[in-house]
Amino acid sequence: MVRNTRAAAALVVVFAVAGLGLAPHQAQAATAAGAVEVAGAVEGGASAAGVRFHDIPGSGGVTLKGNVFTPAGARAGARYPLIVLPTSWGLPQVEYVAQAKKLADSGYVVVSYTSRGFWLSGGEIEVAGPPDVADVSAVIDWALATTPADPARIGVGGVSYGAGISLLASAHDPRIKAVVALSGWADLIESIYSGRTQHRQAAGVLGATGYLTGRPGPEFRSVLGDFLGSRLDREQQMIEWGKKRSAAEQVDRINANGAALMLGNAWGDTVFPPNQYAAFFEELTGPKRLEFRPGDHATAEATGLFGLPDDTWTNAHRWFDRYLKGERNGIDSESPVQIKSRSTDGYEGYADWKSVGAGGTERIPLSDSEHLFANVDSGADGGVVFLSSILDQFAKAPPIASVPLLPRAFAAVWQSERHDEPRRVRGTVRLHTTVTPTKGDGTFVAYLYDVGPLGIGKLVSNAPYTFHGKAPGQAFGVDLDLFSTAYDVPAGHRLALVVDTVDPLYIEHNPTGAQLTFSSPRTDPSYVSVPLREQ
């Protein structure tokens, strides 16, 4: 108990330093002190637990700061399965200490390293570019040469940035047999540029953290500036840059290599929303598992990083045990898709993503024409990055709005009838509508609310949409997928679709004085399609 407490305290030091945004050279002493505390907390010291801190050669001559856990009492000449863990964005090498020790205790060699460009590792931040992918292979080479790692049993994994790098590495290194990618991305463009709209708060947080804890490379600095500066003349270059960093663009290579992939994410992830993970999962042909839970970015995995009980990490260990050790622990016989509703406890299993919400759909007609003045926030919004979804996870308190009081000049509102029975929303809500703008460019955000008897709406899902180069006064059709979710609407409540033009989460592109009209032509009616679970 004392050892666990001390290890958790050391991790608190590390994450606190990262959260304060100290530059790497300023934080070196604090990080080192935390690392010493961790080493002293592990089973009588480094020699008993087999933990060592190393300078590891990365690709291109870059030195990566890492640590290695080996099984206690490792026998001379014995070989053990290897797990490589690249760190998350902005976090140092001790991020995975608690989980690495647990894995080593169960018979793994575990190598964790600070991703290049961050903290004391060399190089510059490449945002999961080719040098980051090559680093994974270089670390594997080093581990096979210097530790009792088995070349036939290699896994990689991580949280957030580490997850994205791990997925990309599985496309390039056929030695990788198992991957656990938690709170990561498979499509970088769909993550932070969905609906052709910049996710301002998410990109801003990532950019600021990168500058505070690392050394952004020139390409990253240029792309971030163009992205946040709405440089449409550079849009295609930004998209190509993102595609090179998206595992979804390399799914054929991943499938050919045949690694077993476990993906985990949160419904409310404001950095890497769940839709892109679900679409990528459906393209995989090898052993695979998809888990969605309530929360925001990396919140489902956070307790496990502090050594506390965490079912995400429990399943990650089971996944590695099955595909690196060959243990028949049953994880491969469970339903490949496991989700937990934001409203209730317990998991629901499905054969595939298409089966989620296969209980039918409720189609809400958007029959009344609505006219909006742009540039004004109506009060409907998606909340605050990280904070809002964390409140939803732990207090079941999503962002709210008083739907009857939303100003109709700036917010379009359509509502269903009151439901006599609960509605279990599962999967991806889809909006189909017709828009007529007064300007050639514009942005709107669609929100689906659960509206109670007093008119208070709880946010079920949302998504932004941006258009450019349209003819003013000419109508065009829009099909928009809202962010996937699992939410239970109580009996006696309504569902409401709200559309406005300003949300602090996103950059909007409405010229001054712009107006939008949402209509429902007789030949192409507008509607919201809500997928439901079978009762």
Side-chain angles (χ1 to χ4, degrees):
M1 183 66 172
V2 172
R3 288 191 295 268
N4 289 340
T5 302
R6 294 174 68 192
L11 285 173
V12 170
V13 171
V14 172
F15 289 132
V17 170
L20 288 171
L22 300 179
H25 68 277
Q26 293 173 304
Q28 182 174 5
T31 304
V36 169
E37 179 71 11
V38 170
V42 178
E43 295 294 349
S47 60
V51 59
R52 294 288 188 273
F53 292 85
H54 290 273
D55 287 347
I56 301 174
S59 65
V62 165
T63 297
L64 305 171
K65 297 294 183 179
N67 56 63
V68 179
F69 281 82
T70 53
R75 302 185 310 276
R79 291 288 176 179
Y80 301 89
L82 168 67
I83 297 176
V84 174
L85 302 172
T87 57
S88 301
W89 184 270
L91 291 180
Q93 69 194 61
V94 294
E95 174 188 3
Y96 301 113
V97 160
Q99 291 302 319
K101 180 186 180 300
K102 289 183 178 181
L103 287 164
D105 285 345
S106 66
Y108 291 94
V109 173
V110 185
V111 181
S112 173
Y113 68 92
T114 304
S115 299
R116 69 165 53 218
F118 287 102
W119 296 85
L120 302 179
S121 280
E124 297 178 318
I125 299 173
E126 303 286 348
V127 194
D132 292 295
V133 177
D135 282 342
V136 176
S137 293
V139 171
I140 291 173
D141 293 340
W142 178 86
L144 294 177
T146 60
T147 75
D150 185 345
R153 296 183 291 169
I154 298 173
V156 298
V159 176
S160 184
Y161 193 49
I165 292 173
S166 295
L167 287 175
L168 289 163
S170 72
H172 291 269
D173 196 327
R175 296 175 295 179
I176 296 171
K177 304 304 181 187
V179 179
V180 171
L182 306 176
S183 290
W185 78 92
D187 189 327
L188 192 57
I189 301 303
E190 275 300 304
S191 294
I192 61 173
Y193 196 48
S194 68
R196 208 180 176 186
T197 308
Q198 300 104 313
H199 295 208
R200 175 187 4 226
Q201 289 187 16
V205 167
L206 292 174
T209 305
Y211 274 95
L212 289 168
T213 63
R215 300 168 299 283
E219 190 175 22
F220 172 45
R221 294 197 302 269
S222 175
V223 168
L224 183 64
D226 292 341
F227 183 80
L228 293 176
S230 300
R231 288 282 305 274
L232 286 178
D233 60 315
R234 299 283 299 168
E235 182 181 38
Q236 193 55 45
Q237 290 90 331
M238 288 186 281
I239 290 173
E240 291 303 318
W241 178 87
K243 285 183 176 180
K244 292 177 183 177
R245 291 156 171 82
S246 297
E249 296 291 322
Q250 303 181 43
V251 68
D252 289 342
R253 297 182 65 169
I254 292 173
N255 286 335
N257 286 340
L261 270 60
M262 173 180 161
L263 312 175
N265 206 347
W267 295 120
D269 194 319
T270 45
V271 180
F272 304 129
N275 302 47
Q276 46 91 30
Y277 243 21
F280 174 67
F281 173 83
E282 288 292 271
E283 296 297 318
L284 298 173
T285 58
K288 59 183 180 178
R289 182 179 176 93
L290 176 67
E291 299 183 355
F292 283 144
R293 301 174 177 83
D296 205 310
H297 185 64
T299 60
E301 303 85 20
T303 53
L305 293 176
F306 288 93
L308 301 174
D310 186 299
D311 57 357
T312 303
W313 282 104
T314 296
N315 289 337
H317 288 225
R318 294 174 65 213
W319 192 256
F320 283 134
D321 288 346
R322 175 67 187 90
Y323 291 102
L324 297 183
K325 291 183 178 179
E327 292 185 3
R328 298 290 179 178
N329 55 22
I331 195 167
D332 56 331
S333 62
E334 297 172 359
S335 297
V337 177
Q338 296 284 326
I339 70 172
K340 181 183 286 188
S341 169
R342 291 162 49 200
S343 308
T344 58
D345 294 325
Y347 286 93
E348 303 167 6
Y350 298 88
D352 51 33
W353 177 248
K354 295 188 294 292
S355 299
V356 178
T361 59
E362 177 176 354
R363 180 173 287 197
I364 303 172
L366 311 180
S367 53
D368 297 330
S369 180
E370 295 281 351
H371 185 82
L372 300 185
F373 293 91
N375 311 116
V376 175
D377 189 343
S378 70
D381 63 55
V384 178
V385 66
F386 297 128
L387 177 62
S388 296
S389 291
I390 291 174
L391 288 173
D392 185 35
Q393 177 183 1
F394 293 106
K396 292 183 171 53
I400 62 173
S402 177
V403 173
L405 297 181
L406 291 173
R408 292 308 202 265
F410 310 115
V413 179
W414 299 267
Q415 295 192 76
S416 72
E417 298 297 325
R418 294 189 188 276
H419 297 121
D420 294 332
E421 297 180 350
R423 292 291 192 270
R424 299 178 180 179
V425 181
R426 298 291 186 273
T428 306
V429 175
R430 293 183 169 90
L431 166 66
H432 175 75
T433 190
T434 296
V435 181
T436 305
T438 60
K439 307 287 184 178
D441 302 327
T443 297
F444 67 85
V445 184
Y447 311 88
L448 186 71
Y449 283 102
D450 159 24
V451 184
L454 299 179
I456 301 300
K458 294 182 178 181
L459 186 65
V460 177
S461 185
N462 75 290
Y465 183 89
T466 293
F467 59 89
H468 296 289
K470 298 294 185 181
Q474 183 171 325
F476 62 93
V478 170
D479 289 289
L480 176 63
D481 285 355
L482 277 61
F483 300 136
S484 301
T485 193
Y487 182 96
D488 298 345
V489 181
H493 287 212
R494 305 173 187 265
L495 284 170
L497 181 81
V498 176
V499 176
D500 73 0
T501 61
V502 177
D503 190 311
L505 286 173
Y506 313 112
I507 292 178
E508 52 98 3
H509 295 265
N510 297 297
T512 301
Q515 301 173 41
L516 299 176
T517 298
F518 294 85
S519 59
S520 182
R522 182 173 55 83
T523 57
D524 186 21
S526 297
Y527 60 86
V528 170
S529 177
V530 181
L532 303 174
R533 178 190 173 191
E534 293 181 2
Q535 298 297 323

